[in-house]
């Protein structure tokens, strides 16, 4: 594992979807100046770092995950100068900034792709994965065909308009498949290093890496992709040793080997993350079962030799809003979990005020069902909830129309609000190493039906017992030490009864323990 930048150990992230955070020029789309204007809000919440979704030039058929110029801020968000200012203003406040690196594909409008479509061989012929003949398709993925003078089909990585960049094949079998160290793949690698250099030189602190596990093809076990990322990490260690890397990979045993500092827990695949937050009966809504999640998390944790650098997000631009499934005190208990787990927590903008999933929105920029989670931030009671001065119908993504929609202003002024609760939780996390990214975890009670979710976190000789009961009835879990101090409590206080801890209905507690009993 690479050396972790110190700031990452204590980081609490805030994810900003730039389109929808704060518009300052009245065009109905958020912008970088808007983010700068709201940095104090993020800092006041207690967050220490930002992850910005892609803000580069793009035709926006996938919210900017379809980059047409890696080195240019999209004009609708501002200029590269604004980005520089954003980094400086963030740093002045002690906040770090991760940009979103999309190394797996570009937009089909990227000049590299346009050049690679040409029949004549040129510098970009091998930048993407093309078969030799239009009648042959790359196996295992969709392709773009019949759009170019070049005779061939081009592999796509995600949507049809996102051709896959060529990092090579682990075991090439066809003449058009290049090895990872072929000239085309090596040139792609160098181009992506240049992209990283450019933004790190301008002042960003690292990257959240999109679809990080998908780069090398014909590589089901990820061996080639791990090797590729080790090489990228070696480059960063030489030139930018403090640059942080967080992966959207979902297999921490692989991504940490590849040199990532942390990996996201994904809502799809085998994680059972959705059992907790997004299903018919989520655990945090009080009636579900967390035990399969715990089992899967533990397996993953053990595979990373208990490094536990698995980031659990409250949500993100791809998931339904948390508040679609969980409300009221249950949301506060869900955050008492998110903010006491190993790895850096990520709060999706607006989740801290319980912003709702806006039902029935028409897709914008390839959002489809995701659009309801991407509506503009609700700042206050003014026009467009303080998001933009544009006429309401000009907002790029419509807002939650409910008269009782939550706002940041109202919640900042209310000590009983969700935001105030999260602010308290973050403050406690920040002062206790056991609760931070690298503190170890041991589950005490796995949240199977009839039981609470409870775990011990330990670091630097400190032990904290976290006990969470979102159910409507009292629950019991083993008490694993003498309670020295209650660090945080929501609802009625827990009570020691024999060797057990009684947790009141809808309550949460973080307890500092003394010696084992
Ligand atoms: C990631 C992004 C998602 C995007 C996709 C393709 O999963 O989070 O929003 O559509 O990659 O880049």
């Amino acid at each position: 594992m690479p050396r972790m930048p110190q700031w990452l150990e204590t980081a609490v992230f805030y994810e900003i979807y730039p389109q929808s955070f704060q518009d300052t020029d009245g065009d109905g789309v958020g912008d970088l100046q808007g983010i700068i204007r709201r940095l104090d809000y993020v800092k006041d919440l207690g967050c220490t770092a930002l992850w910005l979704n892609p803000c580069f030039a793009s035709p926006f058929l996938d919210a900017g995950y379809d980059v047409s110029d890696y080195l240019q801020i999209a004009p609708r968000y501002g200029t590269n100068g604004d980005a520089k200012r954003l980094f400086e203003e963030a740093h002045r406040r002690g906040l770090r900034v991760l940009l979103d690196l999309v190394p797996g594909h570009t937009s089909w409008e990227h000049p590299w792709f346009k050049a690679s479509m040409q029949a004549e061989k040129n510098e970009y012929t091998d930048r993407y994965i093309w078969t030799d003949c239009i009648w042959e398709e790359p196996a295992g993925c969709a392709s773009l065909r019949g759009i170019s003078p070049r005779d061939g089909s081009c592999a796509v990585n995600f949507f049809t308009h996102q051709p896959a960049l060529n990092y090579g094949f682990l075991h090439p079998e066809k003449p058009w498949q290049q090895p990872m160290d072929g000239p085309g793949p090596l040139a792609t690698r160098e181009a992506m290093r240049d992209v990283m250099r450019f933004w790190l030189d301008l002042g960003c602190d690292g990257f959240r890496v999109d679809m990080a596990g998908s780069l090398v093809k014909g590589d089901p076990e990820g061996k080639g992709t791990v090797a590729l990322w080790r090489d990228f990490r070696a480059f960063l260690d030489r030139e930018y040793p403090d640059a942080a890397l967080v992966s959207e990979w979902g297999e921490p045993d692989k991504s940490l080997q590849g040199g990532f500092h942390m990996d996201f827990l994904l809502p799809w695949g085998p994680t059972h993350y959705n059992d907790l937050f997004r299903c018919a009966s989520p655990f945090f809504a009080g009636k579900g079962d967390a035990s399969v999640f715990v089992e899967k998390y533990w397996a993953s944790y053990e595979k990373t030799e208990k490094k536990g650098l698995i980031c659990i997000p409250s949500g993100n631009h791809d998931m339904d809003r948390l508040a679609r499934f969980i409300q009221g005190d249950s949301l506060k208990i869900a955050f008492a979990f998110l903010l006491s787990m190993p790895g850096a927590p990520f709060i999706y903008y607006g989740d801290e005020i319980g912003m709702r999933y806006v039902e029935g929105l028409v897709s914008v920029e390839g959002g489809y069902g995701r659009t309801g989670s991407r509506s503009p931030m609700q700042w206050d009671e003014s026009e467009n909830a303080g998001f933009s001065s544009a006429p309401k119908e000009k907002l790029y993504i419509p807002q939650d129309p409910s008269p009782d929609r939550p706002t940041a202003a109202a919640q900042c002024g209310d000590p009983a609000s969700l935001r105030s609760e999260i602010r308290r939780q973050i403050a406690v996390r920040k002062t206790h190493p056991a609760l931070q990214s690298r503190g170890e975890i041991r589950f005490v009670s796995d949240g199977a039906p009839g039981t609470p979710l409870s775990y011990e976190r330990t670091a630097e000789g400190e032990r904290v017992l976290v006990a969470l009961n979102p159910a409507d009835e009292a629950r019991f879990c083993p008490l694993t030490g003498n309670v020295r101090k209650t660090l945080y409590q929501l609802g009625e206080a827990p009570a020691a009864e024999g060797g057990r801890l009684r947790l009141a209905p809808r309550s949460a507690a973080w307890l500092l323990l003394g010696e084992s009993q």
Side-chain angles (χ1 to χ4, degrees):
M1 226 192 68
R3 188 185 59 84
M4 170 131 75
Q6 179 71 35
W7 64 268
L8 205 50
E9 300 198 11
T10 51
V12 178
F13 280 88
Y14 192 81
E15 177 190 346
I16 294 182
Y17 188 70
Q19 294 81 326
S20 292
F21 200 53
Q22 176 70 63
D23 173 22
T24 54
D25 59 5
D27 64 355
V29 190
D31 45 51
L32 297 190
Q33 289 294 345
I35 298 175
I36 294 171
R37 188 192 287 177
R38 297 296 186 177
L39 287 175
D40 288 332
Y41 169 86
V42 177
K43 185 173 165 73
D44 175 78
L45 182 60
C47 290
T48 59
L50 308 178
W51 156 29
L52 302 189
N53 290 108
C55 42
F56 316 108
S58 166
F60 291 102
L61 296 179
D62 183 15
Y65 284 95
D66 47 333
V67 177
S68 58
D69 184 347
Y70 283 107
L71 307 184
Q72 195 63 52
I73 292 291
R76 73 184 199 183
Y77 296 137
T79 62
N80 287 9
D82 292 331
K84 186 162 192 281
R85 211 181 128 229
L86 168 56
F87 303 145
E88 287 164 1
E89 291 291 331
H91 291 161
R92 223 159 51 78
R93 292 166 173 81
L95 299 168
R96 306 290 179 145
V97 185
L98 297 190
L99 293 180
D100 209 321
L101 183 72
V102 191
H105 49 265
T106 66
S107 157
W108 60 12
E109 289 190 15
H110 197 294
W112 297 344
F113 185 63
K114 290 189 175 159
S116 89
M117 288 201 291
Q118 298 312 313
E120 304 75 40
K121 201 164 166 47
N122 62 61
E123 194 186 336
Y124 300 101
T125 298
D126 296 326
R127 182 58 51 96
Y128 299 83
I129 302 167
W130 288 85
T131 64
D132 284 338
C133 155
I134 189 80
W135 310 120
E136 181 177 5
E137 286 191 83
C141 63
S143 68
L144 275 161
R145 313 169 68 204
I147 57 159
S148 61
R150 176 175 182 167
D151 185 8
S153 310
C154 182
V156 305
N157 223 31
F158 195 68
F159 287 143
T160 315
H161 52 76
Q162 290 161 321
L165 284 163
N166 187 7
Y167 294 91
F169 283 72
L170 186 62
H171 300 297
E173 287 164 3
K174 310 264 175 112
W176 52 267
Q177 298 180 340
Q178 295 203 1
M180 287 174 64
D181 58 359
L186 287 184
T188 310
R189 236 188 250 200
E190 187 53 26
M192 210 41 66
R193 279 197 281 263
D194 281 344
V195 173
M196 292 192 225
R197 281 189 185 105
F198 183 86
W199 294 108
L200 290 165
D201 285 344
L202 205 71
C204 86
D205 299 284
F207 304 95
R208 172 267 186 189
V209 179
D210 187 64
M211 293 178 64
S214 74
L215 302 192
V216 175
K217 305 300 181 199
D219 183 23
E221 286 165 25
K223 290 197 175 118
T225 303
V226 166
L228 175 68
W229 280 109
R230 288 177 91 100
D231 183 53
F232 278 133
R233 185 67 246 176
F235 140 72
L236 289 171
D237 284 344
R238 276 192 312 273
E239 297 185 25
Y240 305 91
D242 284 333
L245 286 183
V246 180
S247 51
E248 185 200 36
W249 191 320
E251 292 179 276
D253 50 328
K254 294 179 183 157
S255 64
L256 299 190
Q257 259 187 62
F260 282 93
H261 296 112
M262 298 191 190
D263 190 23
F264 274 107
L265 186 81
L266 298 181
W268 57 84
T271 65
H272 282 254
Y273 163 89
N274 283 336
D275 293 6
L276 303 184
F277 303 111
R278 294 171 178 81
C279 63
S281 239
F283 176 76
F284 284 110
K287 295 207 162 40
D289 178 354
S291 62
V292 188
F293 165 81
V294 169
E295 185 191 317
K296 303 285 177 193
Y297 181 91
W298 186 254
S300 206
Y301 182 73
E302 285 201 305
K303 279 201 218 159
T304 64
E305 289 157 27
K306 309 205 169 157
K307 298 281 190 301
L309 301 169
I310 305 168
C311 301
I312 310 185
S314 68
N316 69 25
H317 61 290
D318 294 328
M319 296 183 225
D320 287 359
R321 284 270 183 198
L322 193 52
R324 196 177 195 195
F325 301 91
I326 302 173
Q327 293 89 29
D329 280 354
S330 306
L331 264 180
K332 296 177 178 172
I333 300 171
F335 274 96
F337 164 77
L338 289 162
L339 291 164
S340 64
M341 284 292 282
F346 277 70
I347 299 174
Y348 183 49
Y349 82 96
D351 277 357
E352 77 280 14
I353 56 168
M355 261 174 70
R356 300 173 187 136
Y357 178 89
V358 184
E359 305 286 343
L361 290 188
V362 172
S363 177
V364 183
E365 53 180 34
Y368 304 99
R370 304 178 291 185
T371 312
S373 302
R374 298 175 174 189
S375 63
M377 180 69 181
Q378 294 146 202
W379 292 105
D380 54 37
E381 300 300 320
S382 67
E383 192 67 13
N384 300 322
F387 164 67
S388 168
S389 61
K392 188 172 161 200
E393 59 288 356
K394 287 267 162 56
L395 295 192
Y396 183 59
I397 298 177
Q399 274 182 314
D400 180 354
S402 335
D404 67 343
R405 63 189 176 194
T407 66
Q411 294 213 5
C412 285
D414 174 5
S417 70
L418 176 61
R419 187 186 182 280
S420 300
E421 200 68 40
I422 293 174
R423 195 166 174 268
R424 281 191 283 275
Q425 293 167 348
I426 295 177
V428 176
R429 178 180 172 107
K430 277 161 101 173
T431 47
H432 290 278
L435 290 167
Q436 294 163 6
S437 297
R438 278 150 94 81
E440 289 196 14
I441 187 169
R442 180 173 80 83
F443 287 93
V444 172
S445 169
D446 67 1
T451 70
L453 180 59
S454 149
Y455 41 91
E456 247 188 46
R457 301 285 320 276
T458 46
E460 298 172 21
E462 186 183 63
R463 291 167 70 211
V464 176
L465 180 66
V466 173
L468 309 166
N469 177 22
D472 286 341
E473 302 102 46
R475 299 275 189 246
F476 293 85
C477 68
L479 180 57
T480 53
N482 299 317
V483 178
R484 281 175 45 206
K485 194 177 165 196
T486 300
L487 301 179
Y488 167 76
Q489 181 185 317
L490 173 77
E492 211 180 292
E497 287 185 9
R500 300 193 306 170
L501 195 65
R502 178 190 182 275
L503 301 169
R506 289 179 304 283
S507 69
W510 300 352
L511 307 169
L512 185 65
L513 298 183
E515 332 74 68
S516 304
Q517 277 185 335

